[in-house]
Amino acid sequence: MSPQIIPRPGILDISPYVGGDSKIAGVDRIIKLASNEGPFGPSPLAIEAMKTAASSAHRYPDGGALALREAIAKRFGLDVERIVCGAGSDQLLSLLTYSYAGPGDEVLYTEHGFLIYPIAAKAAGATPVKAPETNLRTDVDALLDAVTDKTRIVFIANPNNPTGTYLSHAELTALRAGLPDDVLLVIDAAYAEFVGRNDYTPGTELVDAGQNTVMTRTFSKLFALGGLRVGWGYFPSEIADVLNRVREPFNVSVMGQAAGIASMQDVAFQQKCFEHNLSWIAKTEAALHDLGIETTASVGNFVLARFGEVSTAERADAFLRERGIIVRRVASYGLPDCLRISMGTADEMEAFLATMRAFMGASQ
């Protein structure tokens, strides 16, 4: 009998990431509010750019994604040489973990943080460590208390998914100041484009201030390019150099680069998406509150609804699915009594709220 091929220790401890459902058996018309996707689809300019780029799909893309990086740098006023693009920001988060943590190291994240963080840590052979949150918000003091001499990376989703809460500029700055200089702070700002608060920062100034902070972003949310897998990050020069050494040489497709460039240029479409989201977050939270359902004060493109009892959240989810509406159960994030609802079109949100009113009426 030949010897068994055994993966590295820790790999089989990983619970695979499971995305939001897209289908319900026997239901033709689906309202999908499960994956924080853009309700309007990509920018019309991005769609035209993809059509044009399709004729070049037999060619390898620009391995350095220079034109895309230039478009990002122009849009956000950043140094193009310190931008690295990836196949979604998830790829960059994983590459950072593989590059800066390994066996014997610890990777720190918050209690209800993005599930990719512990997955990346375990895949790299490092130990993921959760710090408690307070009232579903990142607790800076709790994070700092959890730092040990083994801590190599601290992941902060700001805003956080699935809670929708955020750290202010002052809190984020205090976190960086309290961390040892040799600990890498990774600010995952996937939902930054949705935030309208004047005390919020995606963290670019902290990246500029030293050598130990990075910021990642995505085209999957406000820009609605989730199906193309396009992400980017802003890094100190030394870390950008490391990522360019370890990333795949053609990691952003021809169509992904073309759509990303066009999306960056369509500022009017970005503003339309931002205003729609801001309006429907307020309407949805108010309507749920009227029904006696608690929510966080979300600054993302989703609402976290808390039902208080696991059985009620399960029944609400089943009631919605029976009517063709898919939201996200978040038990895997330690929130079994909650549902996360992405903001859809006006018609989709009206249908969701009408269904929730019917559910609550039937439950009373």
Side-chain angles (χ1 to χ4, degrees):
M1 183 177 179
S2 57
Q4 183 181 2
I5 304 299
I6 301 174
R8 195 177 67 236
I11 297 297
L12 294 181
D13 294 331
I14 296 173
S15 297
Y17 182 84
V18 179
D21 290 340
S22 297
K23 298 179 180 179
I24 301 173
V27 179
D28 294 328
R29 183 180 182 273
I30 298 293
I31 295 176
K32 186 186 177 189
L33 306 176
S35 299
N36 301 343
E37 297 158 330
F40 303 122
S43 152
L45 296 184
I47 292 173
E48 288 304 311
M50 284 187 273
K51 291 178 180 177
T52 300
S55 63
S56 302
H58 61 302
R59 304 296 186 191
Y60 283 105
D62 172 12
L66 178 59
L68 176 57
R69 290 190 292 115
E70 288 176 339
I72 294 167
K74 181 178 180 180
R75 176 71 178 84
F76 295 109
L78 304 175
D79 179 358
V80 67
E81 297 301 323
R82 293 163 57 196
I83 296 171
V84 179
C85 295
S89 58
D90 292 356
Q91 183 185 52
L92 298 174
L93 297 172
S94 295
L95 290 175
L96 284 165
T97 310
Y98 304 155
S99 299
Y100 292 97
D105 296 332
E106 293 178 350
V107 172
L108 184 59
Y109 65 107
T110 63
E111 181 179 2
H112 304 298
F114 189 29
L115 293 177
I116 291 298
Y117 309 150
I119 289 174
K122 291 178 180 178
T127 301
V129 177
K130 285 193 292 188
E133 297 181 7
T134 299
N135 297 324
L136 300 183
R137 289 189 74 249
T138 296
D139 187 321
V140 171
D141 291 334
L143 272 170
L144 294 176
D145 287 344
V147 172
T148 72
D149 59 2
K150 297 180 179 180
T151 305
R152 295 292 172 265
I153 299 174
V154 174
F155 281 111
I156 293 296
N158 198 40
N160 187 52
N161 169 32
T163 61
T165 55
Y166 74 103
L167 286 181
S168 68
H169 176 271
E171 291 171 314
L172 197 60
T173 301
L175 173 61
R176 177 64 270 178
L179 290 171
D181 290 342
D182 61 351
V183 171
L184 178 65
L185 175 60
V186 179
I187 304 168
D188 178 358
Y191 297 91
E193 286 84 5
F194 294 107
V195 185
R197 306 295 179 88
N198 59 14
D199 63 345
Y200 172 79
T201 175
T204 52
E205 73 286 352
L206 292 177
V207 180
D208 288 333
Q211 302 300 313
N212 51 16
T213 303
V214 305
M215 176 197 69
T216 61
R217 303 278 278 272
T218 184
F219 281 87
S220 296
K221 304 307 175 185
L222 183 131
F223 301 102
L225 299 180
L228 290 182
R229 312 308 303 128
V230 186
W232 62 279
Y234 187 53
F235 308 94
S237 298
E238 293 82 356
I239 296 178
D241 176 61
V242 168
L243 291 184
N244 281 321
R245 292 171 187 268
V246 300
R247 68 174 175 82
E248 292 83 352
F250 303 108
N251 61 333
V252 183
S253 70
V254 169
M255 279 204 250
Q257 292 188 36
I261 293 166
S263 294
M264 282 285 100
Q265 296 168 348
D266 197 347
V267 178
F269 183 79
Q270 295 167 35
Q271 187 63 26
K272 170 189 172 182
C273 295
F274 171 79
E275 291 176 358
H276 173 85
N277 184 74
L278 200 64
S279 173
W280 275 102
I281 285 283
K283 291 177 183 177
T284 303
E285 290 186 338
L288 292 175
H289 294 168
D290 287 344
L291 294 172
I293 300 171
E294 179 185 345
T295 70
T296 58
S298 176
V299 295
N301 67 334
F302 54 88
V303 167
L304 185 72
R306 195 161 206 176
F307 293 84
E309 295 182 356
V310 175
S311 61
T312 308
E314 292 174 343
R315 288 189 293 107
D317 182 45
F319 193 89
L320 288 162
R321 291 176 71 90
E322 287 170 0
R323 289 150 183 80
I325 301 174
I326 304 175
V327 297
R328 186 67 184 267
R329 295 290 311 283
V330 284
S332 58
Y333 285 91
L335 297 165
D337 65 334
C338 296
L339 298 176
R340 190 192 68 192
I341 304 100
S342 306
M343 295 299 100
T345 64
D347 288 347
E348 289 172 338
M349 296 313 298
E350 292 287 7
F352 164 75
L353 292 175
T355 305
M356 285 305 302
R357 292 184 188 103
F359 169 74
M360 295 302 290
S363 299
Q364 292 173 354

